[in-house]
Amino acid sequence: MSLLKPFSKLPGLCTANILLVESEEQFQQSLADALMEETAVTVNVRLAKNLPLPMKNEESRPRIDLVVFIINLTSELSFQSAEASLKYLDPGYFLGKVCFIVTNARNASVPTERLDAVRKLAASLHCPLLFAEDQTPDGVTNATERLLTILKVAAGLVPMTTALYLSNLTRCTVPPDIDQPSFD
Amino acid sequence: MDESTKRLLQRLMRRIQTQMLRTTLDKWGRLTGEQLRSMDFTLSKWALTEKLLAICEENELAVKHITELEMICESDVIDNPSQGMWYAFQLMDPEGTYYDAHSVELTQFKEQFKSHLRELIRHVSVKIKKHTDEAVWIRIAWGDTFSRPNHMKPTYVVHYLQTPYVFVTSLTSKQKPLLSQALVLSTRYQAIKDANLSGRKLTAIRDLLMRQYHQVFPTRYPAPIAENDQTVSNQHIEREQAEPAANRLQAACEAFGGGVLPQLQSAVYKLETKFRDHSNKTMTEREEPFKCVVKFASTNLLESLRHCASSGIASTPVTPLLSSIPLKGKNYFVITDNGPGPSSQMRQPQN
């Protein structure tokens, strides 16, 4: 099993490395372009469709500070692919170095069970869950800003704050009545 | 001009776009320069129609002239699918040597076709025109023993002379044997069969059948595919799984083609295979085949299938059921248990 390990390599100076995992490979491209706008820190973006990552990139790959799973709620395949990829992450990542982004949450055709399932997954792993709007440039910029905040902390570039501390504040929680039927 | 001719012209005017009207009338050539200048193309379509009707009355134009205009519109001007579905047919078993059937030239074909069709059915109006791209357009208005040809429901036939392909639209099942016989006799083949390909756009089914789109062949050392729209511009962005993605894209393009693909609207698979599912004994034990029809529909079917393969939704190498669509140039398949892979049979004539 080729697990992705969080601390097996040395960090770079003033550098943050982020891995965006998305089954459709659409939103990750616009997010990557927007992340490049950041000037204060050198951001390196790695894009993948799913985990495990190919072995031959092992040498050249830098230390990944934050792994982001992008789930498109309109597609069941997207959710299943993200869930299946989770097994290939070393447990050390779940101490604040994993984040979930969900798109199309407002779409009427999305079954409520899927969003609940994503919420439960994020809550059980103690990870933050962000909602993003991927069709407009404003939505992309918005999502990028929030991601950068988490990324800088996860890369250790913010003094007095660690990824674990931040994740305690931002992690997803499920309301106790999540399994009750809701009123439409 | 009688009523039916007027109605024909009015219907035609409804379908032409105003900006194309001037060039169309120019091509038609039945209006004098002065008449053409007198038409004010900024007026409403209805006003233009009235003006055109008046000019045609003045020139004493008859039905056959109006049908000329209709043919110009169908073949050159109106690009969007107006005629409904086009069906492809293939001529089989050329007579004599290879050169006999392939050397039928235009005037010979025209005379023979008209005379054979007139022999089969007395009241029929046929117009044949050759286009710059080697296509012969035939417009047929059918009548019967008692009535004159009906110009409101013409059949259009397009044939490329040195090929065995014929494309037809608006043909009823009664007219089909007559047309088939006339075509077979005038092109010196022995039979004609349904090519199992249909679509709304003539150019699309023609390009598919005659392979006039960008084909990608398997190579040992593929050059980087130029139209990879996910090119990474920045050195800080890196794709982890770039190689598997490139392989999938290559396999998808090999199966369906590169660049812009001909626009097909649907693919139909008629299954007549035995039911196979070990968990369901009652159905599996039945002797007769389980009949089922699977239809794929899309605005651009080949493009969607290629995207399925390149994004990994459909596994590569692409299943022969899907890749036979461009390979065999068909979009109707009947699948039986006999052979491996899809086998196609003659389709029953529709309507």
Side-chain angles (χ1 to χ4, degrees):
Chain A
M1 281 266 263
S2 48
L3 289 181
L4 191 63
K5 295 190 162 58
F7 298 115
S8 55
K9 297 186 186 180
L10 293 173
L13 265 183
C14 204
T15 312
N17 303 313
I18 185 172
L19 173 67
L20 300 175
V21 181
E22 184 191 6
S23 172
E24 281 94 18
E25 299 179 299
Q26 299 281 357
F27 188 30
Q28 61 182 199
Q29 190 60 48
S30 30
L31 265 183
D33 292 330
L35 280 166
M36 289 294 106
E37 309 281 315
E38 171 66 23
T39 48
V41 172
T42 313
V43 179
N44 291 321
V45 182
R46 312 284 282 192
L47 304 176
K49 192 176 156 79
N50 48 28
L51 297 175
L53 299 178
M55 286 302 289
K56 60 188 181 72
N57 293 346
E58 187 65 42
E59 298 294 314
S60 57
R61 194 181 307 135
R63 171 169 120 154
I64 302 287
D65 299 309
L66 183 65
V67 179
V68 180
F69 289 95
I70 302 173
I71 298 179
N72 182 349
L73 278 182
T74 53
S75 151
E76 182 67 28
L77 185 63
S78 181
F79 177 48
Q80 285 172 350
S81 165
E83 228 181 343
S85 303
L86 286 170
K87 321 195 248 303
Y88 296 95
L89 277 185
D90 185 277
Y93 267 108
F94 294 104
L95 299 171
K97 286 174 177 280
V98 173
C99 173
F100 288 89
I101 290 190
V102 151
T103 58
N104 286 323
R106 283 186 283 203
N107 195 315
S109 62
V110 168
T112 40
E113 298 81 40
R114 203 173 289 155
L115 179 55
D116 286 347
V118 176
R119 270 206 152 118
K120 285 187 192 164
L121 180 66
S124 67
L125 297 169
H126 299 284
C127 299
L129 177 65
L130 304 180
F131 291 83
E133 197 266 284
D134 58 337
Q135 304 291 336
T136 63
D138 274 344
V140 174
T141 322
N142 224 312
T144 314
E145 277 168 30
R146 287 178 285 158
L147 264 188
L148 273 171
T149 317
I150 304 179
L151 176 62
K152 284 180 191 169
V153 172
L157 299 167
V158 178
M160 297 300 170
T161 320
T162 62
L164 185 56
Y165 182 56
L166 185 64
S167 77
N168 262 319
L169 299 175
T170 57
R171 68 188 178 96
C172 180
T173 50
V174 293
D177 60 349
I178 194 169
D179 287 320
Q180 306 294 329
S182 60
F183 295 101
D184 276 327
Chain B
M1 284 214 315
D2 59 357
E3 267 314 300
S4 59
T5 318
K6 275 193 200 156
R7 265 186 288 128
L8 186 62
L9 186 58
Q10 280 164 344
R11 188 179 74 165
L12 192 56
M13 282 296 288
R14 273 200 292 275
R15 281 159 54 194
I16 307 177
Q17 290 176 333
T18 320
Q19 55 258 50
M20 303 297 297
L21 190 55
R22 183 189 302 243
T23 35
T24 314
L25 291 175
D26 254 336
K27 270 194 209 162
W28 189 31
R30 294 273 172 196
L31 267 57
T32 64
E34 192 190 305
Q35 283 169 332
L36 201 51
R37 277 189 293 276
S38 73
M39 288 196 63
D40 180 6
F41 290 97
T42 57
L43 293 176
S44 72
K45 187 72 85 66
W46 183 86
L48 281 170
T49 312
E50 293 293 304
K51 187 87 179 54
L52 191 59
L53 270 172
I55 295 178
C56 291
E57 292 270 12
E58 206 181 295
N59 291 359
E60 288 176 17
L61 296 180
V63 153
K64 63 175 184 175
H65 304 117
I66 310 294
T67 57
E68 264 174 23
L69 182 59
E70 193 190 273
M71 262 189 78
I72 294 173
C73 289
E74 281 305 326
S75 48
D76 277 338
V77 173
I78 300 179
D79 196 35
N80 44 340
S82 53
Q83 286 283 19
M85 298 295 277
W86 285 90
Y87 296 91
F89 290 86
Q90 185 166 351
L91 296 158
M92 310 287 292
D93 304 324
E95 266 177 36
T97 66
Y98 177 85
Y99 293 104
D100 285 343
H102 287 81
S103 64
V104 171
E105 52 95 38
L106 181 65
T107 33
Q108 195 183 2
F109 171 74
K110 275 164 98 155
E111 281 165 18
Q112 297 248 319
F113 184 80
K114 281 188 185 167
S115 68
H116 283 301
L117 198 60
R118 292 223 166 90
E119 260 175 58
L120 291 169
I121 171 170
R122 200 149 13 122
H123 289 138
V124 69
S125 153
V126 181
K127 227 173 190 43
I128 304 186
K129 192 161 178 270
K130 178 155 184 273
H131 269 229
T132 43
D133 64 345
E134 302 304 312
V136 179
W137 277 72
I138 308 174
R139 181 185 187 279
I140 306 174
W142 306 87
D144 56 25
T145 27
F146 302 113
S147 61
R148 295 177 52 216
N150 181 359
H151 283 282
M152 297 301 267
K153 293 197 180 136
T155 299
Y156 278 94
V157 178
V158 178
H159 174 46
Y160 287 81
L161 272 176
Q162 259 63 36
T163 70
Y165 302 118
V166 179
F167 304 98
V168 183
T169 180
S170 314
L171 186 70
T172 66
S173 51
K174 289 211 178 94
Q175 298 157 351
K176 191 166 165 187
L178 305 170
L179 178 64
S180 309
Q181 180 145 346
L183 275 171
V184 161
L185 290 171
S186 51
T187 52
R188 307 234 219 111
Y189 280 83
Q190 287 179 31
I192 185 170
K193 78 160 193 192
D194 196 339
N196 285 335
L197 178 64
S198 63
R200 298 194 74 99
K201 283 190 149 186
L202 174 65
T203 45
I205 57 174
R206 177 201 67 196
D207 287 343
L208 188 68
L209 211 47
M210 307 214 273
R211 308 279 190 134
Q212 283 171 358
Y213 56 95
H214 180 51
Q215 314 241 321
V216 175
F217 296 101
T219 59
R220 195 176 241 291
Y221 302 108
I225 295 180
E227 62 263 39
N228 185 355
D229 53 349
Q230 290 171 326
T231 43
V232 166
S233 48
N234 203 312
Q235 64 186 72
H236 290 288
I237 304 178
E238 171 137 359
R239 312 199 55 199
E240 288 278 347
Q241 291 145 337
E243 199 184 297
N247 290 343
R248 282 198 301 264
L249 182 60
Q250 175 74 9
C253 288
E254 276 173 28
F256 296 105
V260 177
L261 297 177
Q263 262 191 3
L264 280 189
Q265 285 76 34
S266 68
V268 173
Y269 294 85
K270 198 165 154 208
L271 301 177
E272 282 169 10
T273 52
K274 283 198 62 166
F275 191 91
R276 281 188 208 103
D277 180 5
H278 294 295
S279 57
N280 190 339
K281 282 275 180 264
T282 23
M283 289 297 291
T284 322
E285 275 161 14
R286 293 233 180 122
E287 276 305 314
E288 62 277 359
F290 182 71
K291 294 192 181 167
C292 166
V293 174
V294 178
K295 180 173 177 180
F296 292 89
S298 164
T299 41
N300 189 339
L301 184 73
L302 291 176
E303 181 67 54
S304 346
L305 290 176
R306 185 176 63 178
H307 187 257
C308 280
S310 66
S311 66
I313 297 174
S315 56
T316 51
V318 181
T319 163
L321 284 169
L322 291 177
S323 62
S324 323
I325 300 175
L327 191 67
K328 297 191 181 168
K330 293 176 177 347
N331 64 354
Y332 179 85
F333 297 92
V334 176
I335 300 174
T336 58
D337 274 325
N338 300 332
S343 62
S344 62
Q345 296 170 16
M346 188 84 84
R347 175 172 62 169
Q348 301 305 319
Q350 306 221 314
N351 61 289

